[in-house]
Amino acid sequence: MISYAILGITFLYVVIQIIIYALRQRKPLTRDDIDERLLAALNGGDHAGK
Amino acid sequence: MPVNKKKPVTFRPFKTPRYAFDKLRICRRCSRYTALGEERCGHCGHASLTPVEKHAVSLAGRKMHTRLLLILLLTLGSVYFGQSLQQMTLCGAGGIVLAGLLLLMQRKVRQNENLYALNELLGRSIDSLREGLEINRQEAVSVLRENDVLAYEKLREISILLRGDRVARQRVALLHGFQLRKDMNLELEQLLLKDFEPLLAEYIGEIARVRPELIKDRTLRYVKTYEVQILEMDRGPAILTAVAGAAVRLKRYALLYSGMIGRYIQELPKDRFMRLSRMISASPYEAWNGLDLKVAEVREAKYRWDPDF
């Protein structure tokens, strides 16, 4: 019985991971997004003009 | 500073990276960030600097492997607790199928996960990143007296990430001591400040003479905003004339800054004036805002007998 319980937990864990991956894949990040966020964080959001 | 007192220099070739984070490297040992090109980490001294994106890729890979490993461990656990051979086989096969499914998914989303890891890494370590760049800046300032070219090159690299006025002001001050040449890798828009700076105004004047193609909209707006202050400078009128001459390069600028160009039209060199004159003749119905009349006046007064007109 314990072995089925562990298998069940494994199954749930895999399902959750796959859902997380799929959700992230639906709104993919681009390098431009990351670049913009980084520059905004470093320069207080006033980098756009330069 | 008179032109002849300026130092002739050669900068190392520099290519602006496509993304600002391409400049960043992280030390794998002490996690210090740097935007400079040194081989060893300035903090721990180890040659373990790696590009931040590569580091994020390895973090994402490690995370994925850990997840797979956890599934395999759980599978082993379920096999271990199996009460019969059938149960053990079933649990083992089930675990392997689940691990296979996760592996397939991981392969599919790997590129995106790498970017998520990079985003997370940069977001999480923004404070140490700021600290690392500040150390880089101080390093550049510390070599300023012995080697101003090296200091400028370091500041140029840092300015890819730190785009505030502080680094730009230091770069302008350093550039002021160098003799500018056409073949140099020069920039202007990145150096524009929020307030008036005489050294920047002088630099703009020099750029207008050496590399007029770098005079663009933002520079022209800066010059227009601080026109009065520039005029008060010793070489102010010469700077403004040079900028007006550079603005004549494009019809759009000539139309947008017709007022400013009109104020310095008398001093424009002949080739610049000819260009403006031809531009106006080619589009006489554009809204020149009186610039066309001024050009006609100057042409009449200065170039009446000139066969080029």
Side-chain angles (χ1 to χ4, degrees):
Chain A
M1 204 57 213
I2 297 173
S3 62
Y4 286 139
I6 296 174
L7 191 64
I9 291 167
T10 314
F11 176 76
L12 275 178
Y13 180 74
V14 170
V15 168
I16 290 167
Q17 287 306 320
I18 287 176
I19 289 172
I20 291 170
Y21 286 144
L23 286 176
R24 281 181 174 182
Q25 189 76 352
R26 278 181 72 181
K27 41 175 187 177
L29 265 180
T30 63
R31 284 185 169 78
D32 294 293
D33 295 336
I34 298 171
D35 204 45
E36 194 147 323
R37 277 180 212 175
L38 174 68
L39 290 175
L42 285 174
N43 301 291
D46 66 345
H47 71 283
K50 285 197 177 182
Chain B
M1 189 186 283
V3 176
N4 56 5
K5 285 220 177 141
K6 294 195 176 202
K7 194 171 142 187
V9 293
T10 308
F11 299 137
R12 274 181 297 179
F14 177 74
K15 196 169 173 269
T16 310
R18 184 162 177 202
Y19 302 108
F21 58 79
D22 288 342
K23 269 256 119 230
L24 270 180
R25 289 186 305 155
I26 184 172
C27 175
R28 287 192 307 273
R29 281 183 178 257
C30 65
S31 300
R32 203 198 112 181
Y33 286 90
T34 180
L36 301 179
E38 71 261 45
E39 278 180 20
R40 288 180 174 274
C41 172
H43 188 244
C44 67
H46 285 102
S48 48
L49 290 168
T50 182
V52 77
E53 192 171 356
K54 199 176 160 194
H55 187 64
V57 168
S58 90
L59 284 180
R62 209 179 301 165
K63 220 175 193 176
M64 286 181 165
H65 290 153
T66 311
R67 281 171 189 162
L68 272 178
L69 200 70
L70 183 67
I71 289 166
L72 291 175
L73 278 175
L74 286 169
T75 307
L76 278 179
S78 68
V79 171
Y80 178 76
F81 286 108
Q83 282 160 352
S84 64
L85 187 67
Q86 190 195 9
Q87 214 176 66
M88 288 164 92
T89 318
L90 203 66
C91 287
I96 287 167
V97 168
L98 287 173
L101 274 175
L102 190 65
L103 184 68
L104 276 179
M105 190 65 182
Q106 284 181 343
R107 279 192 178 179
K108 204 178 151 195
V109 300
R110 184 64 205 253
Q111 292 301 320
N112 196 38
E113 285 303 301
N114 289 345
L115 292 178
Y116 265 91
L118 177 64
N119 190 43
E120 208 179 298
L121 174 70
L122 294 175
R124 198 176 54 221
S125 47
I126 196 76
D127 287 333
S128 54
L129 222 158
R130 268 199 208 105
E131 198 184 311
L133 292 174
E134 180 54 25
I135 293 169
N136 283 167
R137 196 191 65 79
Q138 285 169 4
E139 215 177 298
V141 173
S142 70
V143 295
L144 210 145
R145 283 185 191 278
E146 307 93 69
N147 192 342
D148 48 1
V149 178
L150 182 66
Y152 173 75
E153 284 173 348
K154 281 179 188 263
L155 287 173
R156 186 174 59 178
E157 299 206 35
I158 298 164
S159 70
I160 300 287
L161 287 142
L162 291 183
R163 301 188 176 185
D165 278 9
R166 192 154 66 139
V167 175
R169 208 177 286 276
Q170 285 170 332
R171 291 174 71 204
V172 168
L174 281 167
L175 280 166
H176 187 247
F178 303 148
Q179 232 176 60
L180 305 182
R181 294 186 315 273
K182 203 178 176 60
D183 62 315
M184 274 175 155
N185 189 359
L186 299 169
E187 49 195 341
L188 181 53
E189 301 259 298
Q190 292 85 346
L191 296 170
L192 294 177
L193 305 169
K194 286 197 190 83
D195 51 6
F196 176 65
E197 167 61 58
L199 292 183
L200 176 62
E202 278 193 33
Y203 179 70
I204 292 173
E206 282 188 55
I207 287 286
R209 279 182 287 273
V210 179
R211 295 273 302 275
E213 71 276 13
L214 293 181
I215 305 280
K216 292 179 187 162
D217 227 7
R218 285 191 60 226
T219 311
L220 290 167
R221 253 183 286 148
Y222 181 87
V223 171
K224 199 178 160 192
T225 309
Y226 297 109
E227 192 179 343
V228 178
Q229 287 90 327
I230 297 174
L231 264 181
E232 284 168 3
M233 292 168 61
D234 281 349
R235 293 174 26 79
I239 293 171
L240 290 164
T241 306
V243 172
V248 165
R249 212 174 71 252
L250 291 179
K251 186 176 150 192
R252 193 172 77 84
Y253 296 155
L255 279 165
L256 272 171
Y257 303 96
S258 53
M260 192 177 81
I261 295 168
R263 286 191 282 280
Y264 306 98
I265 201 166
Q266 290 280 356
E267 289 79 33
L268 275 188
K270 187 183 161 187
D271 68 311
R272 297 284 86 200
F273 183 79
M274 258 173 75
R275 184 173 171 79
L276 179 63
S277 174
R278 281 178 188 159
M279 204 182 274
I280 292 174
S281 310
S283 320
Y285 301 110
E286 292 282 5
W288 292 106
N289 195 22
L291 185 63
D292 45 353
L293 297 176
K294 283 184 183 170
V295 166
E297 274 173 30
V298 174
R299 192 169 44 217
E300 193 60 21
K302 278 176 84 176
Y303 303 105
R304 196 173 177 183
W305 310 109
D306 197 316
D308 291 335
F309 285 87

